[in-house]
Amino acid sequence: MNHKTDSKTGIATGEPKPPWKALWVLALGLAMIVLDSSIVNVSIPAIIDAIHINLTDAQWITALYSIVLAALLLPSGRLGDMYGRKRLLQIGTVIFVAGSVLAASSHTGSMLLLARVVQGVGGALVMPSTLSSVSANFRGKYRAAAFGVWGAVMSSAAAIGPLLGGLFTQTIGWRWIFLVNLPLGAIVFFFSFPFVPESKAQGSGASSGLGLLSDTGGILLSAFGSAFVVFGLIEGETYGWWHPATNFTIGSLTWSQLAPISIIPVCLLLGMLLLAGFVVVELHRKRSGHLVMLDVTLFKISTFGWGNFTAAIINAGEFIVIFILPLYLINARSLNTLQAGGVIAVLALGSIVSGGLARFVSAKLGAGGTVQLGLLLEIGGVLIAITLMNPSLPLWPLMVALVMYGLGLGFASAQLTSLVLSGVPIAQSGEGSATQSTIRQLGTALGAAVSGTALSVAVGVTLPDKLSAVQGLPEQLINGLIAGVKSSAGNMISGMRAQGTHGQLGVLGPQVTDALTSGFVQAGQLALAFACIMLLLALLASIKVRIASEKVATAHKSEQ
């Protein structure tokens, strides 16, 4: 071990050389968790065909993982602070790998969703352990470099995921998008023993852990509050945003489509009330001197409050981009999953380069300015990509736009983590790290929920006019085609294109396919425009973060 750790704070002190080998083990653990969020997206069409699921189930395959991850990050992060971050990392890795094996062996949608829950539990133990361990073991000039690596790995893993997903799906089968976690998990688990220092926070121990577990109300309120909100966002198009569109059935209970109001606004309202109750419970426990999962008073720190809001919006917008582009490439451009994954993976080129340069750019622009530069590049890259979404255009200009987007991704991710934690007291860095991871994952869950909804709504806007222009199509058939495109996330377009004039529509097949393709492209552009709006909101919020961080830096200088 290269340096000592303060037993009271869990923060590295004294020795100048941090444990770089530990950083790479932690980075691989992080990459494994993040990879599993994006590696699935490009393989969704193959999974839909293989186990016969619809768009809603497909959204849940990605969203459920993020929901469980977000719901359990806070208690997991706090348990890591108390019982040891290295220990939680190892336990989480074992659970995550077990969930991956279950996912790879799934033959039904229900089994795959269960596996994603198990993966989410494991991921919730791993992710905060990586960030908290980096925060505990790297200080001074090494801290910025370590956070740069952490941020670059997060963005690069998300970008490389589609390439690996496409490669596995096209060659050895989609089940390997989960089996790849076996060797990764084994490396993280075994190399963590010699290389990763154990660290705990002040007052750690069994009594503290039991004190945290006594916050059952907080755990349940945060978990169910998040679940209800994300469920409402995912299922709004299916069950109706206000008036019921169809019956909702769970077990023996049914919410009738004849009810005066849809179940969706009820779930959204209930979710927000539960989250508000969570805040009240945590404030009360804090005032009473009990341990809390989330010290909501941390959000009074401007860099922390605005920084987390920025991080959540960024993650949501970025997920929409990663969700929409593979569907466009496969269903509108007729690329196979391997080719689509290769196109998306050029994001990694930009993010790796900018992640490495972020520290030097930050020396010129400051951390806040680097985040803003990154967001400007992301917005510009997406806007250019929207204009280039035309099946008749070559792919290389789109890939250039994605490299630009990747550059922004690396700049924003590498510095935002350090910026958010800049004003947090050292003794609360573990708690702050866990909170930030939670907020990021809530943003990802929001993106997973909104992406499918945005695409589905956009398809409903663009396709009716396109199909009405094809003469000879009855209205009932038009409605059926629109519903089919929505439920398959556009995957049925590829099937109709392959059938040509030999499908059920006969000679009208190619015309209908062209109309569907044109409408689907426009829908994808609208969904990406929505992602741009979210990134623009993040850019505006980052201005507040930058101002707050400059005040913190000035205050620190005056104290010296």
Side-chain angles (χ1 to χ4, degrees), residues 162-186:
L163 174 62
L164 293 179
L167 176 64
F168 294 148
T169 302
Q170 194 68 25
T171 54
I172 54 180
W174 65 267
R175 298 183 188 279
W176 280 90
I177 66 177
F178 300 112
L179 290 175
V180 69
N181 294 321
L182 273 67
L184 296 179

Side-chain angles (χ1 to χ4, degrees), residues 81-83 200-201 203-210:
D81 288 346
M82 294 168 185
Y83 288 108
K200 298 180 182 179
S204 60
S207 61
S208 297
L210 291 175

Side-chain angles (χ1 to χ4, degrees), residues 91-157:
I91 294 173
T93 299
V94 171
I95 295 174
F96 183 81
V97 169
S100 299
V101 173
L102 181 62
S105 60
S106 297
H107 291 280
T108 65
S110 299
M111 187 175 179
L112 183 54
L113 291 174
L114 173 62
R116 294 294 275 172
V117 170
V118 177
Q119 284 187 303
V121 173
L125 295 174
V126 172
M127 180 170 277
S129 299
T130 63
L131 182 55
S132 296
S133 294
V134 170
S135 180
N137 290 286
F138 292 84
R139 302 299 299 171
K141 63 180 181 180
Y142 299 114
R143 185 180 178 89
F147 277 135
V149 171
W150 196 88
V153 166
M154 172 171 277
S155 57
S156 299

Side-chain angles (χ1 to χ4, degrees), residues 50-71:
I51 60 177
H52 310 295
I53 59 176
N54 55 30
L55 176 60
T56 299
D57 292 331
Q59 290 173 240
W60 275 109
I61 289 173
T62 55
L64 190 59
Y65 174 73
S66 296
I67 293 170
V68 175
L69 198 61

